[in-house]
Amino acid sequence: MQHFFIPAKIHFGTGCIAAHAQDVSAFGTKALIVTGARSALLSGALDAVTTALKEHHIQWELFDEVHENPLLSTVTAGARRFLNSGCDFFIGIGGGSPIDAAKAMSAMAKCTLKGQEIYNASLITDAWPIVAIPTTSGTGTEATPYSIVSDDQRGIKAGVGAPVLFPTISFCDPTFTTSLPQKQTRDTAIDALSHLLEGIYSRKRSTLLYPLIFDGIKRIVTCLPKALEHPEDIDLRHNLMQASLYGGMVIAHTGTTLQHSIGYPLTSELGTAHGLANGVVMQPIMELYYPAVRQELNDLFRWLSMNKDDFYSWLAQFNMKLETPVTDEFTARRAEEVVNSRNMANNPFDVDITTVKALYKSLR
Ligand code: NAP
Ligand code: FE
């Protein structure tokens, strides 16, 4: 039995906020707008949102304290701010970090959760309405029931998934991504590519999702190299954003796998950007999983008019390398955390700690 369920209304295309201003403003009387320090302004998304809110006489407050890989302490501060400010819905603007933070704040505020309780999905039974406005083309969080939050006390990055964490509505306007620098364009597109590939690797893979997976990967393979050369090209940005949205829709069903779990410590301990952390392990993970999903990957490569080696050459052009080397001591400490992470249940076969250690070793 297969199923497809994305309970979020999604507007997609240039100018979608202005065209559907009533939808930005439909969920309450005062919004807490959750952003990072610069990108909401730089991308033009904050301006588009506040124009729509003004038009419909909706008030807002700005919480612009979310950093990359949002911290639990930031989520707690945002939830407190929401409750003290008379707000009744959230608008998350940015990459995955501010949108995931807004999702977690929303559940924390609604369910009166404290600290690490946010990682307990069974406690996340309700949330305030969440409007998601991506300014990167990577996480697909605009279409997922997940929020990834780093626990500053335990020093680990972890995710939680609950149906109420799907955004109520998402506005995907590719023009907001034209301000993305080259590195973030690459890293975020590689994150989207990971999600799409993981739709093939996952034990929960479903042929219902294959049209999205195949189409999304082709868009990235064709458009990412060109977008790095022509960052202002809206058509290329449109393709990358569509691929990212598809990636979100896919992992909403299949979850992520070792491809993501192994990257989390690279981010939480070594500061590697999320997409880059996925990128450096993409080839070794594909080699590991290839025997288990040979037919699916061969179908994909045929669709891309490539073979596996061509795909690896395509990947190599992005020169993805860790800035801080992985040491034996890091591997010994972190491999167990990887094996125990939530997404490991989705791998195409059981992966043991020896395999995880060997993968880290291959990164040196
Ligand atoms: P991000 O961490 O939100 O942002 C990365 C950097 O890009 C920040 O410095 C940000 O600036 C900047 N930026 C964002 N949009 C920009 C724009 N349009 N122009 C210029 N700069 C811009 O990046 P992300 O890769 O989108 O999100 C990563 C997070 O999402 C990770 O925590 C990851 O684990 C999570 N994730 C979530 C899901 C999910 O389903 N929920 C799936 C995959 C990944 P500011 O600091 O100023 O904002
Ligand atoms: Fe991701």
Side-chain angles (χ1 to χ4, degrees):
M1 186 70 73
Q2 304 189 83
H3 63 273
F4 187 84
F5 179 65
I6 300 287
K9 183 169 179 177
I10 294 167
H11 292 299
F12 190 102
T14 300
C16 61
I17 292 185
H20 299 280
Q22 74 286 357
D23 276 3
V24 186
S25 315
F27 302 102
T29 55
K30 186 173 177 185
L32 187 67
I33 302 180
V34 179
T35 72
R38 292 173 59 242
S39 62
L41 260 177
L42 202 65
S43 61
L46 184 61
D47 200 36
V49 165
T50 52
T51 302
L53 294 176
K54 274 185 214 152
E55 201 181 306
H56 289 269
H57 311 290
I58 302 294
Q59 295 181 293
W60 72 87
E61 276 195 29
L62 185 64
F63 182 93
D64 62 359
E65 293 158 34
V66 182
H67 297 285
E68 272 182 64
N69 307 300
L71 297 175
L72 182 53
S73 52
T74 308
V75 168
T76 304
R80 197 178 306 124
R81 170 82 172 275
F82 179 89
L83 292 170
N84 290 336
S85 61
C87 290
D88 49 11
F89 70 112
F90 282 89
I91 301 180
I93 305 178
S97 297
I99 296 176
D100 279 8
K103 288 178 169 186
M105 288 172 196
S106 164
M108 190 176 261
K110 189 76 175 188
C111 303
T112 333
L113 303 178
K114 289 208 173 28
Q116 290 168 359
E117 285 177 351
I118 195 69
Y119 298 110
N120 184 345
S122 67
L123 299 178
I124 303 183
T125 50
D126 205 355
W128 293 94
I130 302 157
V131 179
I133 301 173
T135 64
T136 62
S137 293
T139 70
T141 188
E142 64 274 14
T144 75
Y146 310 124
S147 169
I148 317 293
V149 175
S150 296
D151 182 345
D152 13 0
Q153 273 184 0
R154 288 182 293 163
I156 63 162
K157 191 173 155 111
V160 64
V164 296
L165 295 179
F166 272 110
T168 319
I169 188 163
S170 296
F171 294 83
C172 306
D173 184 335
T175 52
F176 298 153
T177 64
T178 56
S179 56
L180 271 173
Q182 262 197 349
K183 179 177 166 12
Q184 275 84 6
T185 299
R186 176 197 71 179
D187 291 350
T188 51
I190 294 294
D191 185 27
L193 179 59
S194 304
H195 301 152
L196 292 160
L197 285 170
E198 285 170 286
I200 294 175
Y201 302 152
S202 172
R203 256 176 233 214
K204 296 186 207 148
R205 78 185 80 91
S206 150
T207 55
L208 278 182
L209 301 169
Y210 282 14
L212 299 181
I213 294 172
F214 280 39
D215 181 275
I217 292 178
K218 194 177 235 177
R219 284 174 198 269
I220 293 173
V221 167
T222 314
C223 297
L224 176 57
K226 296 183 201 157
L228 295 174
E229 296 297 315
H230 306 285
E232 306 275 337
D233 187 316
I234 281 295
D235 192 42
L236 297 171
R237 293 294 189 177
H238 177 116
N239 279 298
L240 293 180
M241 190 166 252
Q242 191 162 333
S244 169
L245 173 63
Y246 286 173
M249 290 176 167
V250 166
I251 58 166
H253 295 86
T254 64
T256 54
T257 66
L258 174 66
Q259 160 83 62
H260 262 69
S261 311
I262 200 164
Y264 286 163
L266 299 175
T267 299
S268 51
E269 184 159 331
L270 308 181
T272 309
H274 173 65
L276 177 58
N278 289 331
V280 294
V281 291
M282 191 168 275
Q283 180 170 337
I285 294 281
M286 188 176 275
E287 278 300 296
L288 176 71
Y289 288 164
Y290 184 71
V293 285
R294 184 185 300 267
Q295 194 193 320
E296 290 83 351
L297 285 176
N298 285 345
D299 286 347
L300 170 70
F301 293 136
R302 236 186 326 276
W303 161 252
L304 296 173
S305 308
M306 280 180 161
N307 60 33
K308 184 150 64 70
D309 288 338
D310 296 333
F311 182 77
Y312 292 160
S313 303
W314 178 88
L315 263 184
Q317 72 183 296
F318 304 114
N319 201 21
M320 291 183 280
K321 298 219 162 49
L322 287 178
E323 280 154 22
T324 316
V326 169
T327 60
D328 283 342
E329 192 267 329
F330 169 95
T331 303
R333 253 183 315 106
R334 295 293 188 161
E336 180 132 1
E337 173 190 327
V338 173
V339 171
N340 291 330
S341 73
R342 187 176 64 98
N343 351 24
M344 293 296 275
N346 302 326
N347 293 325
F349 48 80
D350 291 340
V351 174
D352 61 16
I353 196 158
T354 314
T355 306
V356 172
K357 286 183 176 170
L359 281 165
Y360 274 137
K361 205 165 182 183
S362 74
L363 298 183
R364 286 202 232 130

